[in-house]
Amino acid sequence: MLPRFLAESIDFDAGIARLSGDEARHLAQVLRLEVDDEVAVFDGAGREFRARVARAGKDGAELRLLEEFPAALEPLVRLTLAQAVIKGDKMDDVVRDATMMGVKAIEPLVTEHTAARMKAGRAPERWRRIAIASAKQCRRAVVPAIGLGLPFEEWLSRDDAETRILLVEPSAAIEGHSVSTLGGARPASASVMVGPEGGWSVLEIEAGVRAGCVPITLGRRTLRSDAVAIIAIGVLQFLWADL
């Protein structure tokens, strides 16, 4: 199996892909690949190629494209995960696993009960690196967009997904519908909103419902905030025959 790299840029006319930063260092210093070694390179937007190393160095690498691979198919539903920021490496796990599950975008949210230290618009660059590593590992040719972080209310005003899902706990102030109610017609796009460790506030739930979000609960038990998103994505993809 060929080692995979995310290209900084691809010149399709010239048949050249360029690597920089971590990707170039990984090629040259970690894997110690040399000129004429074969690799796979993808553009992060769905295209992947077999390529040959033309130049390798810690300051950058160039690859000559040989042929295009059929990339792994993306889910039919363009799914955005809007995840309230959670503490420590739990958010790292969410980004990694949501990438693996095929989400189109991940938007970190700052909510009333957010305990993690992140200001709106200050999402760590680390999360993009984690998404890239996850896409490389799972053979995905698309890297999800990682938002800079929005307050929940601002996210509600911007989100234009066809189906908007607000995941609520069984004990929430408003009764959530069963996830099975989302079966049937498959939407073209959807957003799934997941609260922080302390859950949504009553005002946030009310604002979400007013904005047209469907309150959904995943069952009778209260799940960890770092597990909810991945469980929900898997269930929805099953319901929509989109695995």
Side-chain angles (χ1 to χ4, degrees), residues 5-8 10 12 41-49 141-143:
F5 298 93
L6 174 66
E8 175 190 28
I10 297 182
F12 296 103
V41 61
F42 63 105
D43 64 357
R47 299 183 70 182
E48 183 162 2
F49 301 83
V142 172
V143 177

Side-chain angles (χ1 to χ4, degrees), residues 37-81:
D37 284 339
E38 287 195 5
V39 299
V41 61
F42 63 105
D43 64 357
R47 299 183 70 182
E48 183 162 2
F49 301 83
R50 184 168 66 90
R52 182 172 285 122
V53 178
R55 182 178 70 83
K58 63 182 180 180
D59 60 333
E62 287 189 356
L63 312 174
R64 183 162 297 281
L65 306 182
L66 300 176
E67 63 177 340
E68 186 164 1
F69 284 147
L73 294 177
E74 287 291 299
L76 297 171
V77 179
R78 300 187 305 276
L79 186 60
T80 295
L81 171 63

Side-chain angles (χ1 to χ4, degrees), residues 164-177:
R164 308 175 72 192
I165 302 163
L166 182 72
L167 295 179
V168 297
E169 299 173 354
S171 58
I174 186 170
E175 183 177 357
H177 302 292

